[in-house]
Amino acid sequence: MRTGHGKVHAGFALALALTVVLSVCAAAESLDIYRGGLITAQAIKAFGGWGSGITEYGQNNQFLRIVTQGYYQGGRLELNEVDLTPFVQGDPAHSYLELELQIEPRPEDVKATTEEEYVGEEEDLEEEEEEEYEEEEYEEEEYYYEEEEGYGQPQEEEVPRVTKLRVVLETDQGKFGTEGHSAFGAPLEQEGWSRVDIPLAAFKVDGKVPQGKLKRILLFGNGQDAILVRAIRLFKENPEDVVIPKCPDDLVVQQGNPVELTAKFEGNQRARFYWDFDLSDGLQRDAVGQSVRAVFDVPGTYVVTLIAEPIGSRAVPRMDTMVVTVTPIPGYGRAARGYTYEEE
């Protein structure tokens, strides 16, 4: 059992490049365009900004850092021509552009301390403040007025965050764009990173999916942030590997009362199940297992997300959501600020 606070718990040469990277395995029908690190010997031959956007290497050249200023200012990736034919022939509904990414945390997103809250913390703080107030001395002759910060001054507008993506695929047969896709996909094991899968069918223009040789990828966000990208690939899933998860029906529970959540599913019988118990702070792997038990300590409404990931295949993880409404219990206690969960 784990306890958290503030959310619910119950993550060389061009020839070599063309030979190694652009070869497509006929069985898996998967192709890595970028797999982290330097672009040498990868399908990306150059990168840069689009508009006032910027593309550069991230920390220790481990990933690409794309600074976006909106849907038309972002990053540009120039490719050694990639043949899309294996991915769009037949039924393109099961072909995807996959991105492993995260939105770069801003300074205000990083907590100044990792100390855990404890029972009675608020009372202790109040007592300390009262003692400091009693001990503090004031000199009347040195009275002065200090203007409150921001008083009578224009307030800074909040810089919009990236929550949605716009992606453009440019081939030798035209440009194919799509927008409005969530920048937060199925969470990966490493905290902060997620897998965003965009079906190639979503790039249709005049009823046509992208065709021919892929030469350029443009990536934008709907806000002002840096998008960190550590992998880009094309792949075509086997429909027989798909898992369709189903959450329990919406629930109303009292705070502090344990609730058991069990996933149902259709399709592939081999899958892992991950649960996120509070969508408001992004998708995370809060619990693992087909059945989990959670305790919601804080009254409110929670969007719970179930993620099903097939085992031993490259099928896209599917998700389902439910709503848990937590009602208060009078006198439950001031310490009820966190949550706990158990995996079965």
Side-chain angles (χ1 to χ4, degrees):
M1 177 180 292
R2 293 186 293 177
T3 301
H5 300 280
K7 79 175 291 299
V8 179
H9 293 263
F12 308 164
L14 175 60
L16 178 62
L18 295 175
T19 301
V20 177
V21 180
L22 300 184
S23 60
V24 177
C25 174
E29 294 191 27
S30 173
L31 185 151
D32 288 329
I33 293 177
Y34 178 66
R35 55 182 184 278
L38 302 176
I39 63 173
T40 306
Q42 301 201 50
I44 298 176
K45 62 182 181 181
F47 56 73
W50 189 266
S52 62
I54 300 172
T55 302
E56 59 189 3
Y57 284 119
Q59 183 180 20
N60 298 325
N61 300 329
Q62 296 179 30
F63 46 79
L64 297 178
R65 182 176 184 270
I66 298 175
V67 178
T68 178
Q69 303 290 329
Y71 267 167
Y72 297 92
Q73 303 175 69
R76 168 179 54 86
L77 308 178
E78 304 291 346
L79 311 182
N80 298 310
E81 292 187 347
V82 175
D83 187 7
L84 293 176
T85 303
F87 303 99
V88 296
Q89 64 185 3
D91 183 7
H94 290 281
S95 294
Y96 295 85
L97 176 71
E98 178 185 317
L99 306 169
E100 289 188 13
L101 57 79
Q102 71 165 299
I103 306 304
E104 184 177 68
R106 294 180 181 176
E108 59 266 31
D109 297 334
V110 181
K111 293 183 179 180
T113 177
T114 58
E115 293 182 1
E116 293 188 354
E117 297 177 85
Y118 58 89
V119 177
E121 178 182 26
E122 293 182 3
E123 290 87 344
D124 292 346
L125 290 176
E126 290 174 359
E127 291 177 2
E128 291 177 4
E129 291 174 356
E130 290 178 359
E131 291 176 359
E132 291 177 0
Y133 180 80
E134 292 174 355
E135 295 174 358
E136 190 170 353
E137 296 181 357
Y138 295 89
E139 298 181 7
E140 296 182 3
E141 63 274 15
E142 294 184 0
Y143 172 82
Y144 66 96
Y145 171 75
E146 181 178 348
E147 185 175 0
E148 293 184 9
E149 183 179 353
Y151 181 80
Q153 302 175 3
Q155 300 295 312
E156 293 185 5
E157 294 185 4
E158 184 177 353
V159 179
R161 304 302 305 262
V162 168
T163 58
K164 303 290 184 180
L165 301 176
R166 175 175 180 255
V167 184
V168 177
L169 304 181
E170 184 173 341
T171 76
D172 57 356
Q173 298 186 24
K175 295 181 179 180
F176 302 81
T178 184
E179 64 182 55
H181 292 272
S182 175
F184 306 97
L188 298 173
E189 186 172 352
Q190 186 174 353
E191 185 176 358
W193 294 90
S194 66
R195 168 180 170 174
V196 175
D197 295 287
I198 305 176
L200 292 186
F203 291 89
K204 283 184 178 180
V205 175
D206 297 329
K208 297 181 180 179
V209 297
Q211 303 282 342
K213 307 290 187 180
L214 180 60
K215 302 189 300 181
R216 174 185 289 165
I217 298 176
L218 304 177
L219 179 61
F220 312 92
N222 63 337
Q224 300 178 32
D225 273 311
I227 305 172
L228 311 182
V229 180
R230 72 177 187 184
I232 304 174
R233 61 181 61 92
L234 292 165
F235 76 96
K236 191 169 188 176
E237 67 180 1
N238 182 348
E240 296 180 359
D241 293 333
V242 173
V243 181
I244 307 298
K246 175 63 177 175
C247 280
D249 294 334
D250 294 347
L251 294 173
V252 177
V253 299
Q254 287 187 317
Q255 66 179 127
N257 287 347
V259 56
E260 185 170 315
L261 304 176
T262 300
K264 296 181 179 180
F265 66 98
E266 299 177 358
N268 189 348
Q269 299 300 304
R270 300 182 67 246
R272 295 186 184 90
F273 296 92
Y274 303 98
W275 299 82
D276 175 86
F277 295 102
D278 187 1
L279 186 59
S280 67
D281 63 356
L283 284 173
Q284 302 174 52
R285 294 185 177 187
D286 289 336
V288 182
Q290 187 173 353
S291 293
V292 297
R293 182 174 298 165
V295 177
F296 294 77
D297 282 332
V298 182
T301 301
Y302 298 86
V303 176
V304 175
T305 304
L306 169 65
I307 305 160
E309 184 178 273
I311 298 175
S313 76
R314 290 202 53 79
V316 172
R318 264 66 174 186
M319 308 183 201
D320 192 28
T321 60
M322 63 180 293
V323 175
V324 175
T325 302
V326 181
T327 59
I329 297 178
Y332 183 76
R334 300 180 64 180
R337 295 191 291 262
Y339 57 86
T340 59
Y341 71 87
E342 293 179 347
E343 301 169 356
E344 296 186 351

